[in-house]
Amino acid sequence: METLIPIINRLQEVFLTLGAEIIQLPQIVVVGSQSSGKSSVLESLVGRDFLPRGSGIVTRRPLVLQLVNVPPLEERRKQDNGNGAKQNSQNNYPGIKAEEWAIFLHCKNQIFTDFTEIRKEIEEETDRSTNNKGISPEPIYLKIYSPNVLSLTLVDLPGITKVPVGDQPEDIETQVQEMILTHISNPNSLILCVSPANSDLATSDALKLAREVDPDGRRTLLVVSKLDLMDAGTDALEVLLGRVIPVRLGIIGVVNRSQHDLNTQKSLCDSGKDEQAFLQRHYPSLASRCGSYYLARTLSRLLMHHIRDCLPELKTRVTVLTAQYQSRLNGYGQPVEDHSSTLLQIVTKFATDYCNTIEGTARYIQTTELCGGARICYIFHETFGRTLQSIDPLGGLTELDILTAIRNATGPRPALFVPEVSFELLVKKQMKRLEEPSMRCVELVHEELQRIIQHCSAYSTQELLRFPKLHDSIVEVVTSLLRKRLPITNEMVHNLVAIELAYINTKHPDFTDAAQVSASVNSQQVLKLSLSLSLSLQEQCSSCANNISSQVDAGDTGKRWKNDKISLEDRGPVPGFGSPTKAVNLLDTAVPASRKLSAREQRDCEVIQRLINCYFLIVRKSIQDSVPKTVMHFLVNYVKEHLQSELVGQLYKQALLQELLIESQETAQQRTEVAQMLEALKKASNIISEIRETHLW
């Protein structure tokens, strides 16, 4: 199991080289308040002074610290001087003549053997990305090789502060807490909370943040620092035993170096001895379970077990990401070598996908809304069909309009029968109402064909997205083709309605019943008319006989004719027949605005209405059937058949090949990034595969 931590360190190096953290690796995150002793705890684990010191927030960037245990210098020299290539290959640190050294990721080719220079480099690198004592989430990666350390991976974060000091930003507390939560929210991380013994543990900010992301305490370990600075007569025994606040992974007490020790440059080795002496005096029962050395061994053991638990999920994650990035890289394709072949492939695939979307056989079928041919079908049979069905054959046509048309069709002579011209006039007026929804149907299908272009561009092929100019040119060519076919289709649909208006076929097979009804009504009117004429002649004969037998003088007769003439002249025009001009009223009395229709007028209206209704339904049925066929023939099918030839004819030109197949900088950059990430994932997979099953137990 000792090999697990170096393997995690190697994995971390692989992904940190790319500056990406797509995989959350197991590590120990150190959290504590400002001046809680975090730096002293870390330095005790390393056995060297290398962290910046000072007042306020000294750690202003996350420090990812990898501790690597290496053989002592003498042992490594023996390996270098040993005979055989096999022994030489076992030494992974050839040419390094120092007992301890360090390497920064940002200056990987430089080896630091002086830990004072390491502190200086940390300070300078911190100042490069932070201003005015602010903090930055960009981490510093430091790897320390020493025979005196246990292999560990730790992350030192800025100390929790409450009040901004000096040039610190006003929201420094929020920034620090967000940075800490970002790191400890990683479920693969262990949380090392550092809290001083001379403060109330119940108010520990580090424990509070740890509880937010780890309420069960499965990943939290508590270090109680500064045991030697407690008030006289008090101790931390209850805290260390977990009786104040229990911590599942344990509570370890340590003694930090004082400021006097730092000023006198007291060595960490001597500080360790003094720490053990202090623990033996004040906490003899817990001395073996406290101290910096015990903390290092505990952290190493916990991290190894944690890595073992996280390894199966980590392996699965690497495998899944490898497949995903391989698929993304395949989508970006390879750099173009044969421009002609590439252009033809892209154009052919786009045309095929466009036609397949109309036919409903495309690879990418939407489930949220209708698209392509399905939407065109919906337009034909639902939108257009229902709109036609909703049109009332007699809509906007009143009885007075019908009577007016009948009277206008007869001229100055009263009509004995319903004139056929009035029927044609009225039915044509109603038939024209079918043209507007028919033209709207063409417009909707044209809009859907435009939408298919965007659908194919977004879902059909990644190759097309690599070349923005080619994509725009294809969209322009298809749009132009649709624009050319639209007026032709509109004209044909307009002609369909015009054809119906050109000739009213009263001999249509489906119009026979209505014609018979009209003939029946007219025959009834003829019979009634002949009877009324017969009765009228008899009355006139009787009246004439009475007039001859009576004696009437000439004066009275002239006066009577004169009175009759005046009475006729005084009568105004008959209102209520829908005349376009207002009738002139010559009388002082008001003329009624309308009147009740006579029985004959009512019958005439019913005849015309029944004829219009019957013939309108015939025409509507014909239009409902012929408009979709016209749109399919002149627009949809034409585009399907001529799309590829139009694209090739417009785009396959030697002068345009180089220009159209210029790859976007964004695509080229993304391909490079994906290729690098894929290479890193493959390396990570190889590293994980080195772990044998026996290493896990």
Side-chain angles (χ1 to χ4, degrees), residues 638-673:
Y638 184 91
V639 171
K640 286 170 52 182
E641 294 170 2
H642 295 82
L643 177 60
Q644 183 169 349
S645 59
E646 188 76 13
L647 289 172
V648 173
Q650 295 290 335
L651 302 179
Y652 190 71
K653 300 176 182 178
Q654 291 298 328
L656 295 176
L657 289 180
Q658 296 288 341
E659 180 181 355
L660 293 177
L661 294 178
I662 295 177
E663 194 173 44
S664 65
Q665 294 182 354
E666 181 181 359
T667 301
Q669 181 180 356
Q670 289 178 350
R671 185 199 293 110
T672 302
E673 293 176 354

Side-chain angles (χ1 to χ4, degrees), residues 27-94:
Q27 57 190 4
I28 299 173
V29 181
V30 185
V31 182
S33 300
Q34 186 175 313
S35 302
S36 61
K38 291 191 298 85
S39 297
S40 296
V41 170
L42 290 175
E43 287 181 339
S44 67
L45 296 177
V46 178
R48 288 293 195 122
D49 295 330
F50 68 99
L51 294 175
R53 299 274 184 177
S55 59
I57 298 181
V58 179
T59 304
R60 291 182 286 130
R61 289 177 59 181
L63 176 64
V64 180
L65 179 62
Q66 292 183 357
L67 304 181
V68 181
N69 180 267
V70 296
L73 180 59
E74 283 298 323
E75 185 176 342
R76 284 187 278 119
R77 283 177 176 173
K78 291 179 181 179
Q79 292 178 357
D80 290 338
N81 297 329
N83 49 17
K86 182 177 179 180
Q87 285 184 335
N88 290 332
S89 64
Q90 291 176 352
N91 184 10
N92 296 322
Y93 318 100

Side-chain angles (χ1 to χ4, degrees), residues 6 93 131 194 227 241 277 301 328 379 388 424 429 497 547 579 581 588 596 606 624 667:
Y93 318 100
N131 297 319
V194 180
L227 289 175
L241 291 175
R301 175 178 55 82
R328 287 182 58 185
I379 293 171
L388 291 187
E424 291 191 6
K429 177 183 176 182
V497 181
N547 287 335
S579 176
T581 58
D588 295 335
K596 185 177 181 181
E606 291 178 359
Q624 187 173 350
T667 301

Side-chain angles (χ1 to χ4, degrees), residues 252-273:
I252 300 175
V254 297
V255 177
N256 300 91
R257 289 187 298 167
S258 63
Q259 189 62 42
H260 175 73
D261 295 336
L262 297 174
N263 295 336
T264 58
Q265 297 183 351
K266 184 177 181 180
S267 67
L268 284 168
C269 182
D270 294 338
S271 298
K273 294 178 181 178

Side-chain angles (χ1 to χ4, degrees), residues 288-530:
S288 60
R289 289 181 288 165
C290 291
S292 301
Y293 182 69
Y294 178 78
L295 173 62
R297 288 189 290 113
T298 301
L299 290 176
S300 181
R301 175 178 55 82
L302 290 175
L303 183 58
M304 283 189 293
H305 284 82
H306 192 62
I307 292 172
R308 181 195 64 185
D309 297 337
C310 297
L311 200 58
E313 181 182 353
L314 186 63
K315 189 173 183 179
T316 302
R317 175 69 173 164
V318 170
T319 303
V320 171
L321 286 175
T322 301
Q324 292 178 353
Y325 275 86
Q326 184 65 60
S327 177
R328 287 182 58 185
L329 185 61
N330 294 339
Y332 289 121
Q334 299 298 324
V336 179
E337 296 180 357
D338 188 347
H339 290 77
S340 300
S341 175
T342 302
L343 179 63
L344 287 177
Q345 288 177 1
I346 294 176
V347 166
T348 302
K349 183 146 191 340
F350 179 86
T352 302
D353 290 339
Y354 190 93
C355 296
N356 289 342
T357 303
I358 295 177
E359 295 296 332
T361 57
R363 287 183 56 193
Y364 301 95
I365 299 178
Q366 291 189 1
T367 58
T368 56
E369 62 177 355
L370 293 179
C371 177
R375 188 171 184 86
I376 293 175
C377 178
Y378 182 86
I379 293 171
F380 286 157
H381 303 290
E382 297 294 332
T383 306
F384 177 62
R386 289 184 178 180
T387 302
L388 291 187
Q389 294 295 329
S390 66
I391 298 177
D392 183 10
L394 301 174
L397 197 63
T398 64
E399 291 181 339
L400 290 181
D401 293 336
I402 297 174
L403 289 178
T404 301
I406 294 174
R407 297 179 72 88
N408 287 336
T410 58
R413 297 173 298 278
L416 297 178
F417 306 102
V418 178
E420 191 171 324
V421 177
S422 61
F423 160 70
E424 291 191 6
L425 176 67
L426 294 172
V427 80
K428 286 182 179 180
K429 177 183 176 182
Q430 298 303 100
M431 286 163 55
K432 287 181 180 179
R433 299 167 61 200
L434 299 173
E435 183 174 1
E436 182 179 352
S438 300
M439 303 301 288
R440 179 57 181 161
C441 176
V442 179
E443 184 180 348
L444 291 175
V445 174
H446 178 265
E447 291 175 358
E448 180 57 27
L449 293 176
Q450 289 277 16
R451 289 182 59 208
I452 296 176
I453 302 175
Q454 304 302 326
H455 173 81
C456 293
S457 300
Y459 296 99
S460 64
T461 172
Q462 283 285 346
E463 285 288 329
L464 184 58
L465 300 179
R466 291 174 55 191
F467 310 108
K469 290 187 178 180
L470 178 58
H471 172 270
D472 296 341
S473 299
I474 289 178
V475 172
E476 183 179 352
V477 171
V478 181
T479 303
S480 176
L481 179 61
L482 293 173
R483 193 184 301 118
K484 291 178 183 177
R485 299 304 301 176
L486 180 60
I488 298 175
T489 310
N490 283 335
E491 182 180 0
M492 296 307 301
V493 171
H494 171 76
N495 289 339
L496 289 177
V497 181
I499 290 170
E500 296 290 345
L501 293 173
Y503 179 68
I504 305 301
N505 183 17
T506 56
K507 293 296 184 179
H508 192 281
D510 296 337
F511 195 63
T512 305
D513 296 339
Q516 291 176 353
V517 169
S518 176
S520 173
V521 173
N522 284 333
S523 62
Q524 292 177 6
Q525 290 181 355
V526 170
L527 179 61
K528 291 180 179 179
L529 180 61
S530 60

Side-chain angles (χ1 to χ4, degrees), residues 399-400 403 407 574-577 592-599 601:
E399 291 181 339
L400 290 181
L403 289 178
R407 297 179 72 88
V574 180
F577 285 95
S594 61
R595 64 178 177 81
K596 185 177 181 181
L597 300 181
S598 64
E601 291 172 341

Side-chain angles (χ1 to χ4, degrees), residues 34-296:
Q34 186 175 313
S35 302
S36 61
K38 291 191 298 85
S39 297
S40 296
V41 170
L42 290 175
E43 287 181 339
S44 67
L45 296 177
V46 178
R48 288 293 195 122
D49 295 330
F50 68 99
L51 294 175
R53 299 274 184 177
S55 59
I57 298 181
V58 179
T59 304
R60 291 182 286 130
R61 289 177 59 181
L63 176 64
V64 180
L65 179 62
Q66 292 183 357
L67 304 181
V68 181
N69 180 267
V70 296
L73 180 59
E74 283 298 323
E75 185 176 342
R76 284 187 278 119
R77 283 177 176 173
K78 291 179 181 179
Q79 292 178 357
D80 290 338
N81 297 329
N83 49 17
K86 182 177 179 180
Q87 285 184 335
N88 290 332
S89 64
Q90 291 176 352
N91 184 10
N92 296 322
Y93 318 100
I96 299 178
K97 306 302 180 183
E99 186 78 14
E100 299 174 306
W101 71 96
I103 297 175
F104 286 95
L105 181 64
H106 60 271
C107 46
K108 195 170 184 179
N109 296 328
Q110 185 177 358
I111 297 176
F112 294 82
T113 57
D114 186 353
F115 281 81
T116 303
E117 293 294 326
I118 295 176
R119 178 188 292 118
K120 182 179 178 181
E121 181 62 29
I122 293 175
E123 294 173 348
E124 292 177 353
E125 180 64 19
T126 300
D127 294 335
R128 289 190 191 104
S129 60
T130 57
N131 297 319
N132 300 328
K133 299 296 182 180
I135 64 173
S136 170
E138 184 181 355
I140 299 174
Y141 298 97
L142 174 62
K143 196 169 188 177
I144 296 178
Y145 299 84
S146 172
N148 303 319
V149 299
L150 295 176
S151 295
L152 286 173
T153 301
L154 305 118
V155 181
D156 185 23
L157 299 175
I160 303 171
T161 184
K162 296 293 184 182
V163 181
V165 178
D167 296 331
Q168 292 177 352
E170 293 295 329
D171 61 340
I172 186 67
E173 178 184 3
T174 304
Q175 291 185 28
V176 172
Q177 289 189 2
E178 289 179 352
M179 182 187 297
I180 293 174
L181 288 173
T182 300
H183 284 80
I184 64 178
S185 296
N186 174 12
N188 293 336
S189 66
L190 294 175
I191 307 173
L192 179 61
C193 297
V194 180
S195 183
N198 55 359
S199 66
D200 188 359
L201 195 62
T203 61
S204 173
D205 294 323
L207 280 177
K208 179 182 176 182
L209 291 175
R211 290 282 176 88
E212 292 183 13
V213 297
D214 183 34
D216 297 333
R218 297 177 182 273
R219 301 186 286 117
T220 304
L221 174 68
L222 176 62
V223 172
V224 180
S225 61
K226 302 181 180 180
L227 289 175
D228 56 330
L229 298 183
M230 297 190 67
D231 295 337
T234 61
D235 58 33
L237 185 60
E238 296 294 318
V239 173
L240 295 176
L241 291 175
R243 295 172 182 171
V244 177
I245 295 180
V247 180
R248 179 169 294 188
L249 294 184
I251 303 175
I252 300 175
V254 297
V255 177
N256 300 91
R257 289 187 298 167
S258 63
Q259 189 62 42
H260 175 73
D261 295 336
L262 297 174
N263 295 336
T264 58
Q265 297 183 351
K266 184 177 181 180
S267 67
L268 284 168
C269 182
D270 294 338
S271 298
K273 294 178 181 178
D274 292 343
E275 179 186 44
Q276 286 299 319
F278 176 85
L279 293 173
Q280 289 291 346
R281 289 196 308 270
H282 294 84
Y283 304 96
S285 60
L286 298 176
S288 60
R289 289 181 288 165
C290 291
S292 301
Y293 182 69
Y294 178 78
L295 173 62

